[in-house]
């Protein structure tokens, strides 16, 4: 069976109380590697604990833009320490968000900036969230690139092609979640056709964004990334096996192999 990697899941969510069941379903679907992504200090610690117990899982640690202003004093210093843990392969998710009004823009910018500073010190890639501010996010990333090359992925990409193109020029990867399979997703489907084969990744963002034909059902879970991969393969006019191999190679290039 072809190896598939879910490059972005939130396995600490309450929907995954019976985690071994969902990991077994993933293996049955050929999804034998998962990146489990943190959004808070507590969440990041739990991601590491899961990775320590399950060898198919690795962790990303960081603070989300919608939680950064609620973080306690000292949380970031602990994230810095966690970045050195052997099960950690990335920082995040972090980024910018104008959809929710949870944290002031200035706090989000400061939070995003320190993740890039840590990335440059650790060589860990950054998992980038952006919602309703794709252009502003690109401008920020272009400013960060003045301090050195960027290493990271635009997760669950849903923006226009010109922003994706700008991110590709900065050396970033583009990852697609279940929304690319939706009937009303023509713009992101166009982007998914055009992303170079050496920069494309696939993810669930579980428990959210369940792909067609299970759209609207919760939880989305890592096994269902196979539906997104099959859809992308048809969109790009390649076989699912070829795209699985391509996205797996890209994953290991970005996050390291395990």
């Amino acid at each position: 069976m072809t190896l598939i990697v879910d490059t972005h899941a939130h396995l600490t969510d309450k929907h995954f109380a019976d985690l071994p069941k969902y990991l077994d379903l993933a293996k049955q679907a050929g999804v034998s590697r998962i990146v489990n992504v943190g959004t808070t200090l507590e969440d990041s610690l739990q991601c590491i604990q899961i990775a320590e117990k399950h060898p198919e899982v690795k962790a990303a640690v960081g603070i989300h833009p919608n939680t950064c202003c609620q973080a306690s004093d000292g949380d970031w210093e602990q994230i810095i320490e966690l970045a050195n843990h052997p099960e950690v392969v990335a920082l995040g998710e972090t980024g910018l968000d104008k959809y929710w009004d949870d944290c002031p823009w200035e706090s989000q910018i400061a939070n995003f900036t320190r993740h890039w500073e840590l990335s440059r010190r650790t060589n860990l890639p950054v998992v980038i969230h952006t919602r309703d501010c794709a252009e502003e996010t690109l401008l920020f990333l272009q400013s960060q690139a003045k301090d050195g090359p960027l290493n990271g992925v635009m997760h669950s990409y849903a923006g226009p092609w010109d922003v994706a193109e700008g991110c590709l020029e900065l050396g970033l990867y583009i990852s697609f979640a279940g929304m690319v399979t939706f009937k009303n997703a023509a713009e992101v489907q166009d982007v998914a056709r055009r992303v170079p084969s050496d920069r494309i990744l696939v993810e669930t963002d579980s428990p959210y964004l369940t792909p067609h034909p299970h759209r609207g059902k919760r939880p989305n879970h890592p096994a269902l990334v196979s539906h997104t991969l099959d859809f992308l393969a048809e969109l790009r006019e390649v076989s699912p096996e070829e795209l699985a191999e391509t996205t797996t190679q890209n994953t290991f290039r970005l996050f390291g192999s395990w």
Side-chain angles (χ1 to χ4, degrees), residues 136-159:
E136 294 97 322
T137 299
L138 177 59
L139 288 172
F140 172 89
L141 292 169
Q142 289 169 335
S143 70
Q144 282 294 309
K146 296 176 183 177
D147 293 327
L150 303 187
N151 182 22
V153 54
M154 300 297 292
H155 119 79
S156 188
Y157 190 76

Side-chain angles (χ1 to χ4, degrees), residues 228-249:
T228 303
L229 185 134
D230 288 347
F231 182 90
L232 286 168
E234 183 175 356
L235 199 65
R236 293 168 66 86
E237 300 182 342
V238 299
S239 70
E241 293 77 15
E242 179 180 342
L243 187 59
E245 182 176 356
T246 296
T247 53
T248 296
Q249 290 176 350

